[in-house]
Amino acid sequence: MKKITIAIDGHSSCGKSTMAKDLAREIGYIYIDSGAMYRCCTLFCMQRGLIRPDGSIDVESLQRLMPEIQVSFRLNASTGRPDAYLNGVNVEERIRKMDVSAHVSPVAALPFVRAAMTAQQQEMGREGGIVMDGRDIGTAVFPDAELKVFVTASDEIRAQRRLDELRAKGEEADFESVLANLRERDRIDSTRAVAPLRQAEDALVLDNSHLTIPEQKQWLLERFKERTA
Ligand code: DC
């Protein structure tokens, strides 16, 4: 059977990566978390002192150093999911911390960062058989994807899910700052000039505010079966 391309876009912390990972595992496709790639670029900036104390980015230096950023994914045998590597180092846990989340949207808004990551993402999906989640997968990275889904949920529900995730990892955070961070990221992601977060015209919309993880998984699996029938 021909392997298709599946694009899952949506707001931050709406559970799209959980759905995407579960589907990929179930159907034997590759899963790529494109947000992890922008998080890796942001961590690189932090490590190289390219984010100034006022939060602004040393854009000139970043542009010069872009060729030094190598992002890859390798399967983690114990979780069964791919971990992100920045220049050969496993940064899967590091890139999920609040300090990276706080700086990632301005980094992801830079056109030369997007061009580099988009090219890598298109290369990863050249053969099909991929589930990729992000903000612009159905609109800019794979506009011809056979299945496009746009996921959303209410701000408060997304903040609570994110808070639970951070706390489960032992990170201290409070509801208000998590909510403020995700609203600010959505604002920057939706209003940037290049490849802003928006629903592709041919995307199926899923508001998962009141769905359980197994219900979402089932919904997505059914859509996949329809597309490949
Ligand atoms: O999905 P996430 O929260 O890990 O994404 C991190 C940031 O990266 C998010 O603020 C927006 C950006 N992003 C993007 O601009 N384009 C993508 N395809 C994926 C993520």
Side-chain angles (χ1 to χ4, degrees):
M1 195 202 297
K2 180 186 174 279
K3 290 196 164 185
I4 66 167
T5 299
I6 303 170
I8 306 203
D9 289 305
H11 295 100
S12 43
S13 305
C14 65
K16 39 182 200 311
S17 60
T18 306
M19 291 174 75
K21 275 177 206 164
D22 285 351
L23 178 70
R25 200 161 36 178
E26 177 110 13
I27 64 178
Y29 277 27
I30 293 169
Y31 164 69
I32 298 291
D33 172 359
S34 68
M37 300 173 72
Y38 292 100
R39 287 175 179 271
C40 283
C41 294
T42 307
L43 181 61
F44 178 89
C45 290
M46 291 163 68
Q47 290 170 340
R48 298 297 183 96
L50 304 183
I51 299 187
R52 304 187 187 98
D54 68 356
S56 64
I57 303 156
D58 178 352
V59 174
E60 230 169 69
S61 302
L62 176 58
Q63 191 155 16
R64 185 169 38 79
L65 293 170
M66 268 321 277
E68 288 186 26
I69 303 181
Q70 301 295 334
V71 180
S72 56
F73 293 92
R74 287 182 220 160
L75 196 70
N76 177 324
S78 60
T79 62
R81 289 171 172 180
D83 283 351
Y85 284 70
L86 171 60
N87 295 334
V89 178
N90 186 331
V91 293
E92 182 59 32
E93 281 194 16
R94 180 67 191 88
I95 58 169
R96 312 286 164 191
K97 303 234 182 252
M98 278 291 276
D99 56 351
V100 175
S101 299
H103 295 296
V104 64
S105 283
V107 172
L110 295 169
F112 63 87
V113 172
R114 299 207 73 77
M117 293 304 114
T118 300
Q120 284 192 29
Q121 290 153 7
Q122 289 171 335
E123 183 55 32
M124 290 168 177
R126 213 160 33 95
E127 311 277 328
I130 196 165
V131 184
M132 191 175 289
D133 75 41
R135 304 292 188 285
D136 62 339
I137 310 306
T139 53
V141 180
F142 299 126
D144 298 328
E146 287 88 346
L147 175 58
K148 298 182 187 178
V149 177
F150 189 84
V151 194
T152 192
S154 77
D155 295 2
E156 288 76 11
I157 285 179
R158 291 187 290 126
Q160 190 57 51
R161 288 177 183 163
R162 181 90 186 109
L163 188 64
D164 294 344
E165 206 175 87
L166 289 168
R167 288 193 175 149
K169 289 180 190 163
E171 209 177 331
E172 255 324 297
D174 65 275
F175 181 82
E176 288 308 323
S177 55
V178 171
L179 181 64
N181 169 261
L182 75 82
R183 282 185 172 153
E184 179 60 2
R185 281 202 288 145
D186 287 345
R187 188 190 64 75
I188 301 175
D189 296 342
S190 311
T191 56
R192 68 179 173 227
V194 183
L197 165 66
R198 66 178 173 79
Q199 184 192 322
E201 273 173 22
D202 50 351
L204 305 171
V205 179
L206 175 68
D207 182 334
N208 67 13
S209 300
H210 304 291
L211 293 185
T212 62
I213 290 174
E215 284 169 344
Q216 291 179 57
K217 190 177 162 182
Q218 190 55 31
W219 181 90
L220 188 57
L221 190 60
E222 281 165 17
R223 302 293 82 72
F224 168 75
K225 286 181 179 160
E226 280 168 12
R227 289 299 149 104
T228 51

